[in-house]
Amino acid sequence: MPRFLPDTFTILLVATVILASFFPISGVAADYFGLATNGAIGLLFFLHGARLSRDVVIAGFLHWKLHLTILAATFVLFPLLGLCTGVLVPGILPPALYAGILFLCVLPSTVQSSIAFTSIAGGNVPAAICSASASNIFGMFVTPLLAGVLLSASGHAEFSLDALESILLQLLAPFILGQILQPWIGDFMRAKKKLLMPVDRGSILMVVYLAFSDSVTEGLWQRISIRDLVVVIVVDALILAIVLAVTMFGSRWAGFSKQDEIAITFCGSKKSLASGIPIATVIFAGQSIGSIVLPLMLFHQIQLMVCAVLAQKYAAAAKEAQL
């Protein structure tokens, strides 16, 4: 069925990984490409800041109980599940892949797909906009801190809190500049969303190509087997299933409305590829990050397929209730 097919961006991601596997960039060319990639990432976060309306954020924060619930799912439930995974797969996965699962679990929520699925399902869209946006803002601080705690505790990857300074300079500073200029350029940025989409996706593809080029050069595909990939897919799917169940049934138990339940379910269960890969390049600078971002790339497609089906079920149930 079409809803189970990968989207265009996922196909481009796969093509980029294949390109890096056969034609990795290295040497001086990789250095210059890395500089261009850093510039593209800065532009990406500048655009995020320029598009985000302050009125939406201020209005949305009034629904504090819903937002705290979503943030708890994103930055508490997910990390706990990541740590629990370590009990199950200590000898099953290579250390770098398990580090990738831990990194996946501390990332912020997506913005576009969380809002889109909430809208399709008939949920609280303004709240979804605010929560997803707030998640990404907090993620610039929370993600490196949580990554430092989890990765250092597990001993599966090197991490330095100095990365927080790099996060502030490379990601948060462009975002703040975009927010400062938002009153003057925000309407234009939102109106030209499709025109600017190549900047969003192109910057991520550049990061993926550079990351996998470095990893392939260091023998990524010699260290990772098909069995490893299958285990990562199963672990990703299991984590997503648990979070979806907790957010869906937990929000009902807490007395949220159906519209709020939908927003909590879709915003609380997502992990952002758009933010995750640029953050990984900063946190794990100088390390081989191809295997670290691989679980995130697989999770990205799994969450899109599962949530597409779930959103349709919510929409169908709402129609039946109106009959």
Side-chain angles (χ1 to χ4, degrees), residues 8 36 76 84 88 92-93 96 128 135 153 155 163 165 192 209 217 247 273 279 286 289 318 322:
T8 302
V76 178
C84 291
L88 300 176
I92 300 177
L93 282 177
S135 177
E165 180 180 352
K192 301 298 182 181
Y209 179 64
T217 302
T247 52
L273 182 73
I279 290 175
I289 69 168
Q322 294 174 354

Side-chain angles (χ1 to χ4, degrees), residues 80-167:
L80 288 176
L81 291 175
L83 288 175
C84 291
T85 302
V87 178
L88 300 176
V89 296
I92 300 177
L93 282 177
L97 284 179
Y98 177 56
I101 291 174
L102 288 177
F103 177 67
L104 156 72
C105 289
V106 300
L107 287 173
S109 178
T110 62
V111 177
Q112 289 89 345
S113 62
S114 293
I115 296 169
F117 287 133
T118 299
S119 177
I120 292 171
N124 188 337
V125 175
I129 293 173
C130 177
S131 285
S133 302
S135 177
N136 276 263
I137 295 172
F138 290 138
M140 295 184 199
F141 301 97
V142 178
T143 292
L145 292 175
L146 284 177
V149 173
L150 267 63
L151 295 174
S152 298
S154 65
H156 281 81
E158 299 177 6
F159 176 82
S160 171
L161 290 181
D162 290 341
L164 182 59
E165 180 180 352
S166 297
I167 291 282

